[in-house]
């Protein structure tokens, strides 16, 4: 158990809908990262937040957005869902790269999203 | 663009045999991470390699880093069935370290299957 929690574990929805995925980082971690894992694209970095502020963006679609709240939990919002958005979405957390000198990330159990 | 390439992508081994997984990356970095993922599960941090020549060992797995060759290896000694999983290497965005980024770029993963 990494200490990172994600809800829900599974989500089944229809095309065009909007969903929200939630992540709570490990106690003491300030950085939260979102990744998408699919068979064809592999593990893709989406977005990073550090202490409430967006710090880096990866291959995140405009239909997707995220935020990190004052209590450091984060939410990933996916809208106008398409079949191709079906994937495993992971949240990871770390203390923050500048604090330790490296950036070991700890992953949550993931949310499996199925878009029908 | 930073690229991380692993090979092989699929590896079928017999129990008791030795093998090496290779991870090449395309930019300067002295931070390399290895993760393990069991089917349908989260990613588990295995090793953090932080300098040229770094070597870490845990049980039957040994990881090393050659920053000059931009190469990391994960060596498996006397494989057992419990090692069957997908192994990912990931590289830190070194040039952005300490700045706004800290995200990891992952390879496609090596799916290891150990057969009796």
């Amino acid at each position: 158990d990494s200490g990172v929690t994600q809800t829900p574990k599974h989500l089944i929805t229809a095309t065009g809908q909007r969903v929200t995925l939630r992540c709570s980082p490990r106690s003491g971690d300030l950085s939260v990262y979102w990744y998408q894992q699919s068979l064809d694209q592999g593990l893709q970095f989406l977005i990073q937040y550090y202490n409430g502020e967006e710090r880096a963006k990866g291959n995140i679609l405009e239909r997707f957005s995220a935020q990190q709240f004052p209590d450091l939990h984060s939410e990933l919002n996916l809208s106008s869902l398409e079949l191709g958005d079906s994937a495993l979405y992971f949240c990871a957390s770390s203390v923050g790269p500048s604090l330790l000198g490296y950036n070991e990330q700890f992953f949550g159990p993931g949310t499996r999203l199925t878009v029908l | 663009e930073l690229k991380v390439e692993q090979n092989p992508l699929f590896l079928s081994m017999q129990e008791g045999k030795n093998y090496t997984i290779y991870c090449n990356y395309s930019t300067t970095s002295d931070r390399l991470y290895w993760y393990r993922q069991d089917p349908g599960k989260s990613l588990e941090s295995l090793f953090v390699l932080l300098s040229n020549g770094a070597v870490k060992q845990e049980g039957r797995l040994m990881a090393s880093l050659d920053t000059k060759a931009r190469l990391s290896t994960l060596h498996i000694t006397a494989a057992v069935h419990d090692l069957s999983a997908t192994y990912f290497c990931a590289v830190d965005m070194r040039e952005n370290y300490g700045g706004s980024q800290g995200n990891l770029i992952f390879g496609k993963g090596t799916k290891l299957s150990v057969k009796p």
Side-chain angles (χ1 to χ4, degrees), chain A residues 59-87:
Chain A
N59 300 320
I60 188 166
L61 300 172
E62 286 191 9
R63 300 183 285 109
F64 296 0
S65 65
Q67 58 185 121
Q68 186 179 28
F69 295 87
D71 66 352
L72 300 177
H73 92 270
S74 178
E75 292 181 357
L76 179 67
N77 301 295
L78 314 176
S79 61
S80 303
L81 284 167
E82 301 175 0
L83 296 178
D85 297 328
S86 295

Side-chain angles (χ1 to χ4, degrees), chain A residues 21-75:
Chain A
L21 313 183
R22 182 188 169 103
C23 168
S24 291
R26 292 188 318 160
S27 176
D29 285 357
L30 300 178
S31 274
V32 169
Y33 309 79
W34 287 96
Y35 292 87
Q36 179 193 61
Q37 186 177 38
S38 60
L39 282 175
D40 54 343
Q41 295 292 324
L43 197 60
Q44 298 278 315
F45 166 71
L46 296 178
I47 197 164
Q48 177 202 359
Y49 280 82
Y50 176 76
N51 204 19
E53 293 186 4
E54 180 184 307
R55 281 301 180 94
K57 266 188 175 180
N59 300 320
I60 188 166
L61 300 172
E62 286 191 9
R63 300 183 285 109
F64 296 0
S65 65
Q67 58 185 121
Q68 186 179 28
F69 295 87
D71 66 352
L72 300 177
H73 92 270
S74 178
E75 292 181 357

Side-chain angles (χ1 to χ4, degrees), chain A residues 37 97 101-105 108, chain B residues 31 33 35 37 42 45 97 102:
Chain A
Q37 186 177 38
Y102 58 93
N103 191 28
E104 185 179 16
Q105 296 179 16
Chain B
R31 289 169 181 76
Y33 308 79
Y35 286 85
Q37 185 180 33
S42 185
S45 179
Y97 188 81

Side-chain angles (χ1 to χ4, degrees), chain B residues 25-84:
Chain B
Y25 53 97
S26 62
T27 193
T28 303
S29 179
D30 57 4
R31 289 169 181 76
L32 194 292
Y33 308 79
W34 284 95
Y35 286 85
R36 167 183 171 145
Q37 185 180 33
D38 291 304
K41 303 293 186 183
S42 185
L43 280 79
E44 174 192 356
S45 179
L46 292 176
F47 300 109
V48 178
L49 302 170
L50 298 177
S51 62
N52 186 39
V55 177
K56 289 200 172 178
Q57 183 164 6
E58 180 74 34
R60 301 174 188 275
L61 300 178
M62 183 174 71
S64 65
L65 178 62
D66 181 344
T67 58
K68 292 180 182 177
R70 300 180 184 176
L71 171 69
S72 180
T73 60
L74 181 65
H75 187 73
I76 303 152
T77 301
V80 293
H81 180 70
D82 285 353
L83 290 179
S84 297

